[in-house]
Amino acid sequence: MNSLFRKKSIAQIQADAAAGFSDAETVAGDNVGLRRSLGTFDLTMLGIAAIVGAGIFALVGEASNKGGPGVVLLFIFASVACGFAALCYAEFASKIPIAGSAYTYAYASFGELIAWIIGWDLLVEYAIGNIAVAISWSDYFTRLLKANGINVPAYFSMDYLSASRGFTDNQELMQGVLAQGQTLDAIGRMTGDQLKTISDKLTPNIVEAYTAWTTAPQVGGIPIIADFPALGIVFLITCLVYIGIRESKTASNIMVGLKLAVILLVIVLGAFYVKTDNWTPFLPNGFGGVMSGVAAVFFAYIGFDALSTTAEECKDPYKTLPRGMIYSLIICTVLYIVLALVLTGMVSYTKLAVGDPLAFVFGPEGANLPWVSGIIAVSAVIAIATVLLVFQLGQPRLWMAMSRDGLLPKIFSSIHPRFRTPWFSTILTGFMVAIPALFMNLSEVTDLSVIGTLFAFTIVCAGVLVKDKEFAGEKRFVPYINSQFIAPVLFLLVWGALLYFNGEAVRNFFTDFTSTEESAFYHKIPYFVFVLFSLAMTILCFVKRLSLIPVLGIIFCTYLMTELGITNWTRFAIWLLIGLAVYFLYSYKHSKLHQREEVASQ
């Protein structure tokens, strides 16, 4: 059992990295490492590139529709949770400036099995997260083409799953509309408001899905439906990442500058069209309505952790990496909060359930400035591409770190002698993102990516608790604050506030398991687990005097995980079980720590 939790010391991790990568990187007797070319500015821009993307350009509209103007509270809540996690990441990054992110930190804190689990989990975050980003990019790109008179057939710009479900669920509705004398071509050109005049249930997404399914070419009776723009952008970004880190950072810096300029334009110009009446009611659907958008809002924040995978390409990782993480998170949080206030002030939250909310508020329903909508459309295409770029940088370097420890085959850590990038892992990442992006649905992948990220954040925060005494006396990004009395007081204050302001809802939560599907017991299992977990953490804080910041990071992140529902927890558990099977079938025996133990025992 002890062998499952064998750890690598920080000195050993650094020594293994300095010694080289794998046999495949040796050229004329010399180790070929990654090229160090990233400074604080580059890392901050990469962090902004990862954070400001699909979440703010697309998913914030859905979150605003559910939570109303109060969605800013969710942005603040998510930023605080990310802030605690970012400080813990910065702590590890300054002590272990080695590629691998949370995987490497877990190896030093909890041992090999937990490190493998978190590494396997991060494959979900990067791969599935990038699938969602590629799909979102495709949506914006095809809308931009359509606005300029170039129509991509629906069956070549939509995933198979969405088309199939859209056709099956709305076949009767669409046939009724067509029976009134409308044509697919005519309703396909209508806006959402125009479709509402025909039927309250009709939306552009329903029309697009029905059109894709009924007009697609068929092979053996099976419609050929695939999202080819998503495939195209993944191919282009993968080529850029393959060529090198310097080229990637240059492209990222340029694109980030453009999208920041557009976001500032939206904020400044939109402020003149804000109607404060739109901020009332501030919480139209209560706190539950605000939290229902947690996946969309948190998806807007994930990505800053990908910076830690570039540690071996930083000029001075001890200083630049932590600063880049923290600076990018602060900048993006301020932008998100102000932008959310402007959006919900320009247009009623009830109208923001659209795929392109930033462009929508400058359309006929809002300021009616078509030229701004056009700029935003172009900017969204650029912004979402930068997110794809950073995530495509992250995953190959994670695989490289796992391969270097023997948990994956050596070829995963092979470095290209000319481009100085993990070439095989980069190519494989491209295939893993591009092929599913052809067929998968955005809503199917977003939540799973978020739960994987929150799990990684939780492990990193817990790792700081484990290493707290070891890090004592050094320069700290997570200063020790005794939680012995603070944590119990906070626990009692939170429960007291819940009972005082929403006592009936709390009582119903613990007693009502039959009135609706959502109130069924199995849907509440994650919440019950969290209540017990938070109580246990509070007791540990009192007994062990744990450090407050990582404790709060753990509590915030695990709470956000409960908001993702039992279905996502089940999918996530299945993915981790598959990972455990891979570990015991291959990685356990091939681990370099295992091989060293065998040599030592002989």
Side-chain angles (χ1 to χ4, degrees), residues 401-481:
M402 296 174 74
S403 170
R404 197 159 55 190
D405 293 327
L407 303 185
L408 291 174
K410 285 184 175 181
I411 194 171
F412 281 84
S413 57
S414 180
I415 305 299
H416 195 284
R418 177 185 173 190
F419 299 125
R420 308 277 287 277
T421 57
W423 67 272
F424 177 80
S425 295
T426 299
I427 293 174
L428 184 60
T429 297
F431 277 106
M432 286 190 62
V433 174
I435 295 175
L438 284 170
F439 310 107
M440 291 186 71
N441 179 281
L442 181 62
S443 61
E444 294 292 322
V445 297
T446 302
D447 288 358
L448 190 56
S449 176
V450 171
I451 199 171
T453 303
L454 286 168
F455 181 66
F457 286 3
T458 302
I459 293 296
V460 171
C461 292
V464 171
L465 287 179
V466 172
K467 289 289 186 180
D468 195 58
K469 291 183 179 179
E470 183 178 336
F471 292 161
E474 302 179 32
K475 182 179 178 181
R476 302 293 300 271
F477 284 91
V478 182
Y480 175 78
I481 301 174

Side-chain angles (χ1 to χ4, degrees), residues 287 488-507:
F287 185 70
V489 169
L490 288 176
F491 183 85
L492 293 175
L493 284 176
V494 169
W495 277 102
L498 286 173
L499 291 171
Y500 181 79
F501 292 106
N502 211 4
E504 185 178 353
V506 173
R507 285 189 291 273

Side-chain angles (χ1 to χ4, degrees), residues 210-412:
Y210 185 88
T211 302
W213 189 265
T214 55
T215 61
Q218 297 188 358
V219 175
I222 300 176
I224 305 303
I225 301 172
D227 196 341
F228 282 101
L231 171 69
I233 189 60
V234 173
F235 174 77
L236 291 175
I237 294 295
T238 301
C239 289
L240 179 60
V241 173
Y242 181 90
I243 291 172
I245 188 67
R246 287 186 303 191
E247 294 77 8
S248 298
K249 78 167 185 180
T250 300
S252 173
N253 289 347
I254 294 171
M255 291 191 288
V256 169
L258 289 172
K259 70 179 178 182
L260 284 179
V262 171
I263 289 176
L264 290 174
L265 172 67
V266 171
I267 291 173
V268 174
L269 189 60
F272 290 99
Y273 294 90
V274 167
K275 299 176 182 178
T276 55
D277 290 345
N278 287 330
W279 291 335
T280 305
F282 190 69
L283 297 172
N285 298 312
F287 185 70
V290 171
M291 294 307 297
S292 65
V294 65
V297 168
F298 194 80
F299 189 74
Y301 276 104
I302 67 175
F304 74 85
D305 62 315
L307 294 185
S308 60
T309 66
T310 66
E312 292 172 39
E313 290 153 293
C314 299
K315 295 175 182 177
D316 185 2
Y318 295 95
K319 296 180 180 179
T320 58
L321 199 52
R323 290 173 182 173
M325 289 182 186
I326 295 170
Y327 292 167
S328 60
L329 186 61
I330 292 173
I331 292 170
C332 292
T333 296
V334 173
L335 289 175
Y336 279 179
I337 292 172
V338 176
L339 190 60
L341 285 172
V342 170
L343 291 181
T344 54
M346 292 178 68
V347 173
S348 171
Y349 71 92
T350 59
K351 300 179 179 180
L352 286 174
V354 294
D356 50 353
L358 270 67
F360 177 79
V361 296
F362 285 98
E365 294 282 350
N368 197 21
L369 299 174
W371 63 273
V372 179
S373 297
I375 293 175
I376 292 171
V378 174
S379 143
V381 169
I382 295 172
I384 297 172
T386 63
V387 181
L388 196 63
L389 172 62
V390 178
F391 274 47
Q392 289 295 88
L393 278 170
Q395 184 168 327
R397 284 146 183 81
L398 170 64
W399 280 352
M400 178 190 73
M402 296 174 74
S403 170
R404 197 159 55 190
D405 293 327
L407 303 185
L408 291 174
K410 285 184 175 181
I411 194 171
F412 281 84

